[in-house]
Amino acid sequence: MSHADHADYCWRELPEYGARIEHPRLRQPISLIIDDPMPGYNPAYFHSGFRFGPARIPVSLVDEFADMIERTGIRGKFSIVPYPIGLGRVDRAIEGVSDVERRYFLDEIRDRIAPHMDITPEALTHWNALDLKTGQLLPYWEHVWSRSQTTETLIPYITLGLEILNNVDIPCRGVTSPWDFGDGVEDAYATAILEAQRAVYGRTFAWYFLQMDGSSPSVPPRLSVFDPAKGEAVVSVVTCDSNDFGAAVWGGGRPNPDALISADGQSGRLVETLRNGGSSAFHSHWQTMFSQGTYSGMNALELVAQRLETYFGPRIAWTGCDDLARYTATAAAVQLSAGSDSTGLRLSTPFACPRFTLSQAESHPVRDVHVDGKPLTRAASRAMFDQDSYLVENGRIYACWTLEGEQTLSVETA
Ligand SMILES: [Zn+2]
């Protein structure tokens, strides 16, 4: 674990001001991505060509999952497939799923999961592509269809997914790619995501999940669209695992939590990337949580969360994907200049960012730290260090607050 104490990966060094952008409240962000949830049906059954059943997932899984994330504190992203398997829209009716069940699924996600995980659509069907003009399914998968698309044809497709979830009062700041939807046309796809967010919400910031990287030492999010002057960014949240640790359960096998973190906390892909000091995002699936009705995948995920708590505890923080994406774009965009008084630093950002954390060398004992004249509370220890506080430790001053627009950070010395 020695590497994390001397992290070789930082968000950004600003040497001309003796400053460094740190991880939010000095904790490495960790995010869980759950793909494929849909009311009523088991995606594994369809995606395996009907080999691995059962066809249905009982709606009680959503309660069990909400209980589990409340117990563990897990944060990240949770999909809703807006037009599952082409059988109907989640805001209207789905063939073979009762309205009571469909509404219960959406209500539970809105009330119990959305407070912890960012919700995203996953294109439309996670099945054959939908012809938006005729409302009929096309004779190829959505990801195959995506390869021959342009920004112009992708915009309405992504927009409809956002609109369907918005119609059931589930706003989404990002999107998930079914299979590898958008791969090969990623620039057009990222631009279309931005334009869809603009069309539905008037926003100029978005993120998405498409890429996985199971081998690099660190796997930070990537900036796919980045135009701070226009206040525009689209961030690709990349997972550090290239396979779902529990995928074997779809066909009746056993999950492999050790692939993420072993029982002794010494090996696994999350251990590797966290030891290298960066953020870590990893992914699993709704059908893994279900595990053909045994919940073995969900139990294994809870074990992963417990092991992370045991071996990394206060060094990490479960983080929503939107916050992770926003932090990445802000760290890249923020501009520093000397403030009007000699102790101040002027910061300017096009993106608002909660828990923005900046450190500077401490030259004299610190008496007070202010943001635009408003005092931050001194934190007695790292454990107390959070939003609107500052910490003095080992010759550095750390400040954590919501960075937005133009602000001045001033440090008064004794
Ligand atoms: Zn998927």
Side-chain angles (χ1 to χ4, degrees):
M1 307 272 151
S2 60
H3 287 124
D5 297 331
H6 310 283
D8 52 10
Y9 167 77
C10 287
W11 290 88
R12 193 172 154 203
E13 291 277 354
L14 301 149
E16 61 276 37
Y17 301 99
R20 188 165 67 214
I21 299 171
E22 307 282 355
H23 286 303
R25 60 189 182 118
L26 296 178
R27 291 163 184 248
Q28 290 167 255
I30 181 160
S31 288
L32 169 69
I33 282 175
I34 294 287
D35 290 345
D36 296 9
M38 56 179 68
Y41 291 107
N42 177 7
Y45 174 68
F46 296 90
H47 295 165
S48 69
F50 316 105
R51 281 175 299 149
F52 303 136
R56 304 290 302 246
I57 289 182
V59 74
S60 57
L61 180 63
V62 78
D63 300 293
E64 302 282 345
F65 183 81
D67 291 344
M68 191 275 292
I69 59 171
E70 284 169 6
R71 281 197 299 275
T72 54
I74 284 175
R75 287 178 185 266
K77 181 281 297 185
F78 187 93
S79 287
I80 300 175
V81 178
Y83 202 127
I85 317 294
L87 293 172
R89 297 165 51 143
V90 298
D91 62 338
R92 292 184 182 166
I94 300 167
E95 221 179 299
V97 179
S98 73
D99 284 350
V100 171
E101 183 175 346
R102 178 178 56 82
R103 289 207 186 98
Y104 186 85
F105 179 86
L106 297 170
D107 289 347
E108 281 291 279
I109 291 172
R110 188 189 311 104
D111 296 345
R112 296 190 61 201
I113 296 178
H116 305 278
M117 304 184 86
D118 296 305
I119 312 298
T120 68
E122 202 161 322
L124 289 172
T125 68
H126 215 317
W127 192 239
N128 289 42
L130 189 72
D131 183 333
L132 297 182
K133 288 203 181 74
T134 64
Q136 303 295 307
L137 293 180
L138 294 165
Y140 20 76
W141 308 114
E142 276 188 322
H143 60 308
V144 175
W145 174 83
S146 74
R147 310 262 184 279
S148 58
Q149 302 309 305
T150 62
T151 301
E152 286 64 37
T153 56
L154 288 167
I155 291 170
Y157 208 86
I158 298 161
T159 300
L160 181 56
L162 293 173
E163 280 172 349
I164 289 173
L165 296 187
N166 200 35
N167 288 345
V168 290
D169 296 321
I170 299 181
C172 302
R173 297 191 175 95
V175 306
T176 297
S177 317
W179 297 296
D180 60 354
F181 186 101
D183 199 30
V185 289
E186 195 169 345
D187 287 347
Y189 181 44
T191 304
I193 292 167
L194 175 69
E195 293 311 321
Q197 276 290 334
R198 199 195 314 265
V200 181
Y201 297 109
R203 285 201 198 104
T204 56
F205 181 89
W207 65 273
Y208 64 96
F209 169 49
L210 165 61
Q211 302 293 354
M212 302 177 282
D213 176 349
S215 59
S216 295
S218 275
V219 187
R222 300 172 191 160
L223 298 166
S224 293
V225 174
F226 185 63
D227 191 341
K230 284 186 175 164
E232 295 176 352
V234 180
V235 179
S236 167
V237 172
V238 184
T239 58
C240 69
D241 54 346
S242 44
N243 288 107
D244 179 341
F245 76 96
V249 305
W250 307 344
R254 290 178 28 191
N256 181 17
D258 294 3
L260 295 171
I261 178 169
S262 57
D264 63 2
Q266 295 305 304
S267 65
R269 189 60 182 141
L270 290 177
V271 175
E272 199 175 299
T273 51
L274 289 172
R275 278 183 175 176
N276 287 325
S279 59
S280 286
F282 68 108
H283 80 294
S284 190
H285 291 79
W286 193 231
Q287 48 273 40
T288 306
M289 302 299 102
F290 178 56
S291 312
Q292 298 191 323
T294 70
Y295 295 0
S296 63
M298 189 158 63
N299 294 336
L301 176 62
E302 186 160 3
L303 190 63
V304 166
Q306 288 164 353
R307 288 175 181 174
L308 285 168
E309 178 60 30
T310 301
Y311 295 105
F312 290 89
R315 293 218 297 263
I316 59 173
W318 287 104
T319 303
C321 287
D322 185 65
D323 280 349
L324 176 60
R326 191 168 285 279
Y327 209 90
T328 305
T330 305
V334 68
Q335 303 267 358
L336 264 64
S337 56
S340 48
D341 65 66
S342 60
T343 60
L345 259 188
R346 194 133 185 85
L347 296 97
S348 160
T349 172
F351 313 113
C353 181
R355 288 175 216 89
F356 182 77
T357 303
L358 186 88
S359 73
Q360 284 182 280
E362 182 197 28
S363 46
H364 300 285
V366 176
R367 199 179 58 197
D368 269 317
V369 177
H370 292 85
V371 173
D372 282 349
K374 200 173 139 249
L376 302 182
T377 308
R378 184 166 186 147
S381 66
R382 275 195 182 219
M384 314 285 285
F385 182 54
D386 205 341
Q387 181 84 340
D388 297 322
S389 70
Y390 73 96
L391 172 75
V392 180
E393 192 186 89
N394 300 329
R396 287 191 84 78
I397 308 155
Y398 301 88
C400 176
W401 76 101
T402 296
L403 178 65
E404 51 189 333
E406 293 209 0
Q407 293 173 324
T408 300
L409 175 75
S410 349
V411 176
E412 284 163 41
T413 52

